[in-house]
Amino acid sequence: MFVMELTYTAPIEAVEEELDAHIAWLDGYYASGVFLASGRKVPRDGGVILAGGVSRAEIEKIAAEDPFILAGVCEYRITEFIATKTSADLSTVRETLA
């Protein structure tokens, strides 16, 4: 599983200009089952996405397609972890240690 942390690198006004395209991008990956949760950080200097079911290379490719990245208004920090314990709702993405 991955924690995708976005940090804005441009004024919030520039981020807002790309928000509709970013939301459409999010919706596509929710529909495919890759994205599990997302939202704004507090304070609003970026966001967080939880993702699973893909490889590190795939998640980096997905991040590179984000309209925020294409517009140059954010950077990503991607952290991979093994989700050995989850809520019942996330049981399909639960992992075991090798």
Side-chain angles (χ1 to χ4, degrees):
M1 186 172 293
F2 299 92
V3 176
M4 304 169 69
E5 182 181 4
L6 296 76
T7 301
Y8 299 145
T9 59
I12 197 67
E13 296 80 17
V15 173
E16 289 285 346
E17 290 177 14
E18 304 301 326
L19 192 56
D20 288 342
H22 174 75
I23 291 170
W25 170 82
L26 286 169
D27 289 345
Y29 284 104
Y30 273 109
S32 71
V34 173
F35 289 171
L36 306 171
S38 63
R40 294 176 179 172
K41 292 193 292 187
V42 177
R44 189 177 178 197
D45 61 0
V48 175
I49 302 168
L50 295 181
V54 294
S55 69
R56 177 74 186 211
E58 289 169 306
I59 207 69
E60 288 176 359
K61 181 178 179 286
I62 289 167
E65 297 169 353
D66 182 347
F68 281 174
I69 288 289
L70 298 175
V73 300
C74 86
E75 296 176 335
Y76 270 94
R77 177 177 168 214
I78 299 172
T79 303
E80 185 172 4
F81 73 102
I82 300 169
T84 56
K85 191 160 184 70
T86 67
S87 69
D89 292 337
L90 293 176
S91 64
T92 59
V93 296
R94 195 173 299 147
E95 301 169 287
T96 57
L97 295 173

